Amino acid sequence: KLMTRIDHKLMSSIDIEAEIRAIVRAFVGGIRYGVKIRLPHALVMTVLFQKNRSPSEMINTIFKLTRNHALNLAAFATIYKTILALLKAASISLHSPNLGANSGIMRWVGRQLIELLVEGSSTGQRLVERPPGLPVRNLHALIAGSIGGFIVWGSYTKVNVQINLYLLSRILMGVGKRYGFTVEDDKYPWFAALVWGAVMFLYEDNGKVLHPSLAASMDEIYRYESPVLSSKKEGPGKPQLERA
């Protein structure tokens, strides 16, 4: 029996203009947040770790990093919200009582496949009204996020790598919380020990495998050479990233 349950209030409340406004707001929010978060970071990192560059080269680097970050966030937000709106429309269409009536077996099979993709484990469950720009199924967020991530964040750049690794760390913490591991947990010191022990081992064993910005930061601390504090017996300091 084909699914016939439908939330008529939801059907009557679809507002295409509101969905478009949600998409535009997401684009503007991506630009705004990208500039706010990347500009000061790029400024500090460029001034501290790229002192050999000319002022014009520094400004150009800061501008490019900020622009790429802001445009990527805006592009992802736009793609994400657009796909959510399309999936919402698809879900509502699948819940139409007239859809599939008097259709052949092939159309019915096709509809079932689309239904499985769009509805997932929520097939047959009643749709709940959500504000414009928000998913009506949690699965929609997964689909829209995956597509946007592949398109926007899939190219290998310095900014993309930093953001993807940042998100990975937050995802792992979120999964830990879901299964009872929190920052305040008494197991957290062991987590800190594992992280710092691993990074120091990699740094001393072969620092080139670490991200350049991390390696440079660690060189500033652990390979710092002071003409006042260094002993003459120690000889000249090792060049950055040189390992035994």
Side-chain angles (χ1 to χ4, degrees):
K1 183 179 179 179
L2 293 178
M3 178 174 51
T4 58
R5 304 179 66 181
I6 182 170
D7 190 331
H8 292 284
K9 182 180 178 182
L10 175 64
M11 287 292 292
S12 61
S13 64
I14 294 298
D15 188 340
I16 296 178
E17 290 185 4
E19 295 289 346
I20 293 176
R21 285 195 297 270
I23 294 171
V24 174
R25 284 198 305 269
F27 175 84
V28 174
I31 292 288
R32 177 179 174 275
Y33 184 77
V35 172
K36 182 174 72 173
I37 200 69
R38 176 56 65 171
L39 180 58
H41 179 270
L43 175 63
V44 171
M45 297 300 289
T46 301
V47 171
L48 288 180
F49 297 110
Q50 299 184 26
K51 298 176 182 178
N52 58 326
R53 296 193 174 190
S54 66
S56 61
E57 289 176 331
M58 286 187 176
I59 293 174
N60 189 45
T61 298
I62 294 169
F63 172 76
K64 285 183 177 180
L65 290 173
T66 303
R67 179 196 62 189
N68 291 345
H69 194 162
L71 289 179
N72 280 357
L73 286 175
F76 176 83
T78 301
I79 293 171
Y80 177 74
K81 292 291 187 179
T82 300
I83 294 176
L84 285 185
L86 294 175
L87 290 173
K88 179 186 291 186
S91 285
I92 292 173
S93 297
L94 288 171
H95 279 250
S96 172
N98 298 321
L99 185 67
N102 301 321
S103 62
I105 184 64
M106 295 305 296
R107 288 187 178 181
W108 182 86
V109 171
R111 179 178 182 274
Q112 298 304 308
L113 292 175
I114 296 174
E115 185 176 296
L116 179 64
L117 174 63
V118 174
E119 296 285 279
S121 60
S122 301
T123 299
Q125 297 181 12
R126 175 177 165 275
L127 287 178
V128 178
E129 185 176 9
R130 300 295 303 277
L134 298 183
V136 293
R137 302 291 195 204
N138 290 336
L139 176 63
H140 293 180
L142 175 62
I143 294 173
S146 298
I147 295 174
F150 182 87
I151 295 173
V152 177
W153 306 108
S155 58
Y156 189 89
T157 66
K158 291 181 179 180
V159 172
N160 287 0
V161 169
Q162 291 173 4
I163 293 175
N164 287 332
L165 290 178
Y166 173 83
L167 288 179
L168 177 61
S169 66
R170 294 303 185 266
I171 291 169
L172 292 177
M173 293 299 294
V175 172
K177 287 183 179 180
R178 186 167 185 174
Y179 292 97
F181 177 84
T182 63
V183 175
E184 296 79 15
D185 197 291
D186 56 3
K187 304 182 189 67
Y188 187 77
W190 296 102
F191 168 74
L194 176 63
V195 169
W196 281 94
V199 74
M200 295 311 300
F201 173 81
L202 289 174
Y203 175 71
E204 297 293 357
D205 180 66
N206 185 5
K208 293 181 180 180
V209 301
L210 298 174
H211 192 275
S213 63
L214 174 60
S217 299
M218 297 181 76
D219 279 333
E220 287 284 329
I221 302 172
Y222 307 111
R223 296 292 185 268
Y224 172 67
E225 296 293 342
S226 169
V228 177
L229 299 176
S230 298
S231 171
K232 293 181 179 180
K233 296 181 180 180
E234 295 177 0
K238 296 180 180 180
Q240 287 189 345
L241 294 181
E242 180 179 310
R243 301 291 182 267

